[in-house]
């Protein structure tokens, strides 16, 4: 039997304390999409180093005198996220290989839309310089204008298109 | 005083810190139920507002903590990373992510959490994310111009809206608590059988909500620590009751041409004014930066006299009192400010007060000092300023 989720306000408070500790200790916020970018940049650099160095985008992160993109704060933080989430799943008995989908959606379709949603997040997070964690949540904590703008754009658009996509979830 | 990177915690150790904080982050996200896409998507259909509750509670908690730590001087809020704003790309990127959220049911952080506990759809989401970044990188030249457009720097939301920091914090808290209450009503109507809020204790949640709003009211009256202290020491009444040591223009000129090693000149004017003309060997420091860590080594040398210069004496006076408040010693203000210095030393037709037998000596001294100082300024210009402040800003963002 699965354990119940934590009260959301309590979980939010705990998450806020982790974010506050991050800001207090390191002077920066939490993030997620930056780690995904680092993995992509490192892979491109490994497979086609000359392509990476000649590209306007990748060359900002790789090249002579620059650290391996995987040796970045967010990559280590996301490694921690994997561990932390796994521990949480373990103690709450939620470890299970399963596909979760809306009641009217088959497994294949769910996978396709999940990958599509991920791709859109990958692109959008580059334009916004961060995703829900790095730009919206961490930005709001330090009262950055970008944080609030990104948050409203994400959720505003989400509500705007939710009706069209209702068959995926309802 | 935080933050502890890079002075206390090295870049290497910071990676270990990242891992530990990441574990807390992942644990909190998973416990909140963010490893379930149906739960996350619920926020858009009204059957489960967990996302909104967790997200806003976390934002309000962290923001309140930053404000309080800043107020008590435990965290230098000018030193922390504030995500810079590129307005149009932020809106466009957010909109793309909003569509991705509804279609995919996750965001990057939550997808990694869900993948870690075995959700296959989350693994597809992560794979899609990797592909999305690759696609962005490969087509980057197409929208490079847009990507870099409307850069506004590290601006803050309360400035953008033209209100005080405390007032904004209060309004955000009120909006958050209002949203919590409103969405709970919606959720119970939409999802009569299994709304998460059905299990909440109304009484406890009301008490907690009232407590948070009370904290918000405190924020309205909570001034920014640095602004508060600067305002206090700049008050004319405070200045008149708290005198500081003064140095005359002649003495300062003598010490400059004498290359006095135990004196440092701190110029608190704007960088633009200093770029035009500044005393030889002076360091340009903005008053707000006197709080920071960058100048502690120089300011805490007790045997070195720190002479503050600005256009007028009251500005110098206030800065001296601020330094004394911060615990520094051996501070003086230039008598009459740079206006007096320019009028007597740097102006060849300055009138020498007649009547004493030292008139000719004073005149000759000032004449020589002016030439020497001008020569020193000229030499510094050619040789480049020796005082280059090293700025090691904390980097952040995704």
């Amino acid at each position: 039997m699965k354990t119940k989720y934590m009260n959301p306000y309590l979980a939010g408070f705990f998450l806020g304390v982790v974010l506050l500790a991050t800001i207090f200790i390191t002077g920066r916020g939490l993030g997620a999409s930056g780690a995904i970018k680092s993995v992509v940049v490192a892979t491109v650099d490994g497979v086609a180093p000359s392509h990476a160095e000649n590209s306007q985008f990748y060359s900002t992160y790789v090249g002579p005198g620059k650290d391996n993109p995987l040796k970045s704060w967010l990559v280590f933080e996301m490694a921690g996220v994997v561990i932390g989430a796994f521990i949480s799943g373990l103690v709450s008995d939620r470890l299970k290989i399963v596909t979760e989908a809306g009641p009217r959606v088959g497994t294949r379709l769910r996978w396709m839309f999940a990958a599509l949603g991920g791709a859109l997040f990958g692109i959008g997070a580059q334009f916004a310089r961060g995703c829900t964690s790095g730009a919206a949540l961490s930005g709001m904590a330090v009262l950055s204008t970008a944080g609030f703008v990104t948050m409203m754009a994400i959720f505003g658009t989400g509500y705007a298109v939710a009706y069209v996509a209702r068959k995926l979830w309802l | 005083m935080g933050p502890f990177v890079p002075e206390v915690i090295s870049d290497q150790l910071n990676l270990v810190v990242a891992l530990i904080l990441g574990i807390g982050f992942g644990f909190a996200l998973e416990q909140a139920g963010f490893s379930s896409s149906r739960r996350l998507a619920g926020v858009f259909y009204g059957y489960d507002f967990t996302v909104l509750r967790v997200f806003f509670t976390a934002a309000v908690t962290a923001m309140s903590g930053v404000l309080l730590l800043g107020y008590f001087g435990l965290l230098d809020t000018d030193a922390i990373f504030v995500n810079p704003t590129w307005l149009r790309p932020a809106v466009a990127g957010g909109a793309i992510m909003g569509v991705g959220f509804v279609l995919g049911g996750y965001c990057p952080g939550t997808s990694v959490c869900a993948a870690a506990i075995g959700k296959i759809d989350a693994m597809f989401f992560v794979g899609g994310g990797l592909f999305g970044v690759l696609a962005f990188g490969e087509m980057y030249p197409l929208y490079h111009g847009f990507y870099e457009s409307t850069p506004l720097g590290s601006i803050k939301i309360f400035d953008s809206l033209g209100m005080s920091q405390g007032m904004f914090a209060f309004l955000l808290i009120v909006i958050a608590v209002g949203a919590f209450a409103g969405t709970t009503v919606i959720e119970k109507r939409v999802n009569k059988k299994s709304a998460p809020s059905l299990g909440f204790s109304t009484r406890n949640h009301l008490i907690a909500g009232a407590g948070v709003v009370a904290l918000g009211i405190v924020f309205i009256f909570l001034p920014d620590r640095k602004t508060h202290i600067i305002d206090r020491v700049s008050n004319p009444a405070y200045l008149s009751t708290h005198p500081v040591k003064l140095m005359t223009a002649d003495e300062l000129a003598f010490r400059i041409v004498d290359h006095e090693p135990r004196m440092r000149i701190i110029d608190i004017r704007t960088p633009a004014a200093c770029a035009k003309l500044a005393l030889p060997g002076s360091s340009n420091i903005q008053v707000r930066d006197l709080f920071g860590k960058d100048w502690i080594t120089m300011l805490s040398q007790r045997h070195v006299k720190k002479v503050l210069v600005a256009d007028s004496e009251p500005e110098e006076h206030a800065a001296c009192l601020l330094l004394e408040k911060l615990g520094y010693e051996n501070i003086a203000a230039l008598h009459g400010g740079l206006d007096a210095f320019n009028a007597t030393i740097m102006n060849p037709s300055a009138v020498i007060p007649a009547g004493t037998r030292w008139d000719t000596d004073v005149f000759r001294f000032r004449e020589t000092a002016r030439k020497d100082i001008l020569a020193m300024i000229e030499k510094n210009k050619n040789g480049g300023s020796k005082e280059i402040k090293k700025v090691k800003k904390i980097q952040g963002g995704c």
Side-chain angles (χ1 to χ4, degrees):
Chain A
M1 180 62 202
K2 279 184 190 175
T3 324
K4 270 177 69 183
Y5 291 111
M6 196 186 272
N7 177 300
Y9 301 110
L10 192 63
F13 177 75
F14 182 51
L15 178 58
V17 170
V18 173
L19 176 56
L20 177 62
T22 308
I23 295 169
F24 181 58
I25 297 169
T26 70
R28 50 159 304 144
L30 296 164
S33 58
I36 295 177
K37 178 169 75 184
S38 295
V39 171
V40 172
V41 171
T43 311
V44 172
D45 191 38
V47 176
S50 61
H51 174 66
E53 272 180 49
N54 293 327
S55 151
Q56 245 180 324
F57 179 65
Y58 303 116
S59 59
T60 358
Y61 309 101
V62 294
K66 293 206 175 84
D67 266 342
N68 184 328
L70 289 180
K71 199 185 156 193
S72 83
W73 200 90
L74 285 170
V75 170
F76 278 74
E77 179 232 61
M78 283 315 282
V81 167
V82 172
I83 299 168
F86 185 82
I87 295 172
S88 166
L90 190 68
V91 298
S92 297
D93 199 16
R94 281 193 285 266
L95 296 180
K96 198 179 175 192
I97 305 284
V98 66
T99 294
E100 195 185 16
R104 291 193 276 179
V105 177
T107 307
R108 287 267 165 83
L109 191 66
R110 170 70 189 123
W111 290 351
M112 275 168 57
F113 274 101
L116 179 61
L120 289 171
F121 249 105
I123 294 166
Q126 302 316 307
F127 280 112
R129 276 87 174 167
C131 57
T132 334
S133 323
L137 181 60
S138 299
M140 284 168 73
V142 295
L143 298 175
S144 147
T145 300
F148 286 89
V149 169
T150 309
M151 182 271 293
M152 289 198 288
I154 292 175
F155 287 101
T157 315
Y159 279 106
V161 300
Y163 184 76
V164 183
R166 68 191 181 283
K167 288 197 173 148
L168 290 174
W169 302 107
L170 294 177
Chain B
M1 184 166 75
F4 302 109
V5 176
E7 289 89 357
V8 184
I9 298 173
S10 70
D11 288 347
Q12 305 285 328
L13 183 59
N14 198 7
L15 296 177
V16 180
V17 173
L19 186 78
I20 296 166
L21 290 166
I23 292 174
F25 185 29
F27 190 87
L29 287 176
E30 210 289 322
Q31 281 297 313
F34 278 17
S35 53
S36 159
S37 54
R38 287 196 67 188
R39 224 158 204 262
L40 291 165
V43 73
F44 297 113
Y45 299 98
Y47 62 79
D48 189 327
F49 281 101
T50 302
V51 170
L52 179 122
R53 294 184 184 117
V54 176
F55 188 84
F56 268 99
T57 309
V60 166
T61 303
M63 175 201 73
S64 304
V66 169
L67 293 181
L68 290 171
L69 289 173
Y71 176 73
F72 290 114
L74 296 169
L75 175 66
D76 183 356
T77 47
D78 286 350
I80 60 180
F81 176 79
V82 176
N83 320 36
T85 303
W86 280 265
L87 192 58
R88 283 196 289 151
V91 173
I96 296 170
M97 288 191 274
V99 177
F101 209 154
V102 172
L103 297 184
Y106 291 109
C107 63
T110 54
S111 69
V112 171
C113 272
I117 65 156
K119 295 276 167 69
I120 301 169
D121 48 329
M123 297 172 196
F124 275 92
F125 187 98
V126 175
L130 293 167
F131 177 78
V133 178
L134 182 72
F136 179 92
E138 292 304 321
M139 296 187 291
Y140 183 67
L142 289 178
Y143 34 71
H144 172 233
F146 177 73
Y147 179 74
E148 296 289 352
S149 67
T150 51
L152 302 176
S154 290
I155 52 170
K156 301 233 182 158
I157 184 72
F158 53 90
D159 287 329
S160 304
L161 297 174
M163 61 175 79
S164 77
Q165 180 175 281
M167 184 52 84
F168 179 82
F170 168 72
L171 290 177
L172 184 70
I173 287 175
V174 169
I175 291 169
V177 172
F180 295 155
T183 53
T184 299
V185 174
I186 296 173
E187 188 182 83
K188 282 178 180 165
R189 270 194 207 153
V190 173
N191 188 356
K192 292 192 177 72
K193 277 175 284 176
S194 60
S197 48
L198 286 173
F200 293 173
S201 143
T202 313
R203 189 172 142 269
N204 290 354
H205 283 74
L206 278 178
I207 293 172
V212 177
V213 172
L215 179 68
I217 295 171
V218 171
F219 284 142
I220 301 180
F221 302 101
L222 197 70
D224 171 55
R225 175 173 167 265
K226 293 181 187 180
T227 316
H228 179 61
I229 296 178
I230 292 170
D231 284 352
R232 221 172 87 192
V233 295
S234 306
N235 185 337
Y238 188 84
L239 290 181
S240 62
T241 50
H242 294 78
V244 288
K245 285 212 183 79
L246 293 174
M247 185 181 277
T248 63
D250 285 318
E251 185 183 345
L252 181 64
F254 178 79
R255 288 185 183 227
I256 291 173
V257 295
D258 196 34
H259 295 279
E260 159 81 65
R262 284 188 298 185
M263 178 186 76
R264 292 295 294 264
I265 302 170
I266 298 168
D267 196 331
I268 55 170
R269 292 176 302 160
T270 61
C274 287
K276 260 189 219 156
L277 190 69
L279 293 173
S282 62
S283 313
N284 181 212
I285 311 177
Q286 300 303 295
V287 172
R288 263 185 97 81
D289 293 337
L290 293 173
F291 287 95
K293 295 171 184 164
D294 295 349
W295 302 97
I296 286 181
T297 325
M298 188 258 270
L299 291 171
S300 40
Q301 290 172 316
R302 274 200 256 163
H303 59 282
V304 173
K305 193 172 219 59
K306 275 77 65 180
V307 185
L308 279 102
V309 301
D311 288 331
S312 72
E313 196 184 305
E315 295 169 60
E316 301 168 349
H317 190 158
C320 286
L321 292 176
L322 172 66
L323 284 177
E324 283 178 2
K325 252 195 190 313
L326 294 174
Y328 298 116
E329 299 169 67
N330 204 356
I331 301 149
L334 170 61
H335 188 45
L338 278 174
D339 290 342
F341 191 86
N342 288 332
T344 51
I345 310 292
M346 304 312 282
N347 179 7
S349 54
V351 185
I352 306 293
T356 70
R357 58 198 182 96
W358 308 112
D359 286 358
T360 44
D361 296 331
V362 169
F363 182 76
R364 218 178 308 133
F365 164 71
R366 288 181 179 174
E367 194 77 349
T368 322
R370 181 173 71 248
K371 280 184 195 136
D372 284 1
I373 290 173
L374 286 174
M376 285 161 89
I377 292 173
E378 200 52 40
K379 198 175 140 199
N380 285 354
K381 246 184 217 160
N382 297 335
S385 170
K386 61 176 179 183
E387 194 69 46
I388 296 165
K389 191 178 153 190
K390 35 175 208 242
V391 182
K392 198 173 177 189
K393 265 280 177 198
I394 295 171
Q395 290 301 309
C398 278

